[in-house]
Amino acid sequence: MDKVAYLQTWGCQMNVHDTEKIAGVLRGEGYSFTNEPEDAALIILNTCSIREKAEHKFLSRLGYFKLLKRKRPGLQIAVSGCIAQQEGERFLIDNQYVNFTFGPQNIVKLPELIRRDKRKAAVGENPALAETDLPAVRNDGTRAWVNIMYGCNNFCSYCVVPHTRGRERSRPMDSIVNEIRNLSDTGYKEITLLGQNVNSYKDPKRSVFNNSSSFPQLLEAVNAIEGIERVRFVTSHPKDLSPELILAIRDLNKVCEHIHLPLQSGSSKILSLMNRKYSYAEYLDKVTALRRHIPDITITSDIIAGFPTETGQDHDETLAALKEIEFDGVFAFKYSKRRYTRASEMEGQIGEDVKSDRLKTILELQDVITDKINRRLKGQKVEIIVEGESSSDTNHWTGRTRTNKIVNFTPEQSIKKGMLITVTITNSFRHSLEGRPEGLMPVTKSN
Ligand code: 5AD
Ligand code: SF4
């Protein structure tokens, strides 16, 4: 059981990629990995604190590991990620069986933490974060996540992220490009650039002279990397979606026609209380500009139901916005009160029942809209990158369109994971499409 680690992740893509880096650092220390916590000498739980539900899931799992440790006192248990950062020393005091914790900025300290006898919470600021490239263990082979920036400066009033991930810091463009070149050399085809707010990316080497975002330039540099077929990015803040970025998405052939652009609410009053720095009308203008320049773009969004003081009228404005914009898909959540945030102290917190009802109407309405949009795709020929066997049905394989829609198809012998193929959409469902492979020649981007 020497040097065998079990890793579990909750939360967003940023966290999933942080776990890949935790694994990279551990591999450098001679660790191998197991899917069975019972076989591990070291357990690391990479946590999320964005909503209460994620915290609860982690805490109930942690209870199981506590029992494991009772049977095997030599077991090392560590907690990383946003809960570790948010709770600091207190987490170690309350959970005596946890050996150490570390926040998202301190993955680099892992080798030292594993060796220490004394328990420690590594939750300090790491000023070198954006300049320190850590190795990552990636298992996919085709699609890779790449950090371009860390942290967030926006302080949306509901959001704990600026408190757990600290201030915005961008990675130098040349390190990002080098990492992606190496990924391309090892066969990766699709890159997703990751940041809390990618539209405000600033190359630290250029921003000395120029204070505007260099995200369009970064996209251009990544687009030029040979071997990479598709470039995506998450997440975009609407306030920083510039005309230059819209043109970059339009003109760069590998940049996919999909944007995740969280609206959060259709009520400008609520948006202002959320500190989103745009009104509904301004958001709509950006959507209109995106669609004017890139007619086949798909747009997805996040919505929060039941933010403090949200009235029935505000909620109706969100429903009206969903109808007006017709997103391809929406992630909707009940507002969840988070420690340290301004919204948690606001008067007018909404009851759970009302939040649940509003969430339900949002999801039901969006289902109808997604269904309607996906139905229109029937009969179209689209390019997909083959991702492999479907997780829900072993008779089918799945791939993803440039517009980020999942397509299931019956595999043929010549089709391998990572290939770009053309399929005709034969059927549509709420969360996926069904397609028939037409050949191995990809469709080219039509501008
Ligand atoms: N309650 C509910 N949803 C939240 N999100 C962020 N913080 C909260 C919260 N306190 C949602 C937002 C964000 C997404 C990642 O999570 O919609 O865009
Ligand atoms: Fe949170 Fe707003 Fe930053 Fe997104 S942009 S991480 S919602 S504070």
Side-chain angles (χ1 to χ4, degrees), residues 266-310:
S267 152
S268 295
K269 179 200 96 190
I270 295 293
L271 288 171
S272 161
L273 289 172
M274 285 176 164
N275 194 31
R276 290 292 286 175
K277 303 185 185 89
Y278 56 83
S279 63
Y280 174 62
E282 284 163 339
Y283 182 92
L284 194 59
D285 282 348
K286 305 239 171 176
V287 167
T288 308
L290 276 164
R291 287 182 170 155
R292 187 169 62 241
H293 290 288
I294 314 152
D296 48 355
I297 195 166
T298 58
I299 307 179
T300 51
S301 206
D302 293 341
I303 299 284
I304 297 178
F307 184 83
T309 78
E310 187 187 76

Side-chain angles (χ1 to χ4, degrees), residues 50 152-156 158-162 196-197 237 264 276:
I50 195 125
C152 181
N153 285 351
N154 290 320
F155 289 93
C156 299
Y158 50 80
C159 187
V160 75
V161 168
Q196 238 48 256
N197 180 14
H237 194 302
Q264 313 296 5
R276 290 292 286 175

Side-chain angles (χ1 to χ4, degrees), residues 3-148:
K3 292 211 170 186
V4 177
Y6 171 83
L7 309 179
Q8 186 169 355
T9 314
W10 287 264
C12 63
Q13 286 136 359
M14 191 69 85
N15 250 23
V16 172
H17 184 46
D18 278 353
T19 300
E20 293 179 336
K21 289 197 246 177
I22 291 171
V25 171
L26 287 178
R27 193 165 62 183
E29 293 294 301
Y31 277 81
S32 61
F33 302 97
T34 174
N35 291 326
E36 309 300 332
E38 295 76 12
D39 299 338
L42 168 66
I43 291 178
I44 299 185
L45 306 169
N46 195 13
T47 61
C48 169
S49 59
I50 195 125
R51 285 172 292 273
E52 210 178 347
K53 214 165 147 188
E55 273 194 27
H56 284 162
K57 281 191 196 154
F58 154 69
L59 286 171
S60 69
R61 186 80 170 133
L62 186 63
Y64 173 69
F65 296 127
K66 182 179 178 181
L67 294 179
L68 265 189
K69 183 143 178 173
R70 228 179 252 160
K71 284 191 231 149
R72 217 162 18 96
L75 173 66
Q76 269 193 313
I77 299 181
V79 176
S80 62
C82 289
I83 296 181
Q85 183 68 35
Q86 179 185 300
E87 301 298 311
E89 297 282 342
R90 191 172 46 207
F91 195 88
L92 282 184
I93 296 167
D94 292 348
N95 298 282
Q96 288 293 326
Y97 55 95
V98 171
N99 294 71
F100 61 90
T101 68
F102 55 106
Q105 304 187 31
N106 286 299
I107 298 173
V108 66
K109 296 225 176 93
L110 195 46
E112 168 199 330
L113 290 165
I114 298 169
R115 286 191 202 103
R116 272 174 77 98
D117 291 328
K118 234 171 136 254
R119 299 164 73 233
K120 181 179 164 100
V123 291
E125 274 272 323
N126 172 6
L129 180 67
E131 283 78 41
T132 313
D133 291 345
L134 294 176
V137 173
R138 293 179 168 99
N139 293 323
D140 186 273
T142 304
R143 303 192 304 144
W145 310 107
V146 173
N147 281 121
I148 65 164

Side-chain angles (χ1 to χ4, degrees), residues 13 195-199 232-238 241 249 256-264 276 283 290 297-303 327 329-333 403-404:
Q13 286 136 359
Q196 238 48 256
N197 180 14
V198 291
N199 300 356
R232 304 183 185 280
F233 51 89
V234 278
T235 284
S236 295
H237 194 302
L241 179 77
I249 305 172
C256 291
E257 299 75 24
H258 168 237
I259 190 163
H260 184 65
L261 195 66
L263 167 64
Q264 313 296 5
R276 290 292 286 175
Y283 182 92
L290 276 164
I297 195 166
T298 58
I299 307 179
T300 51
S301 206
D302 293 341
I303 299 284
F327 291 114
V330 153
F331 298 95
F333 317 97
T403 55
N404 212 32

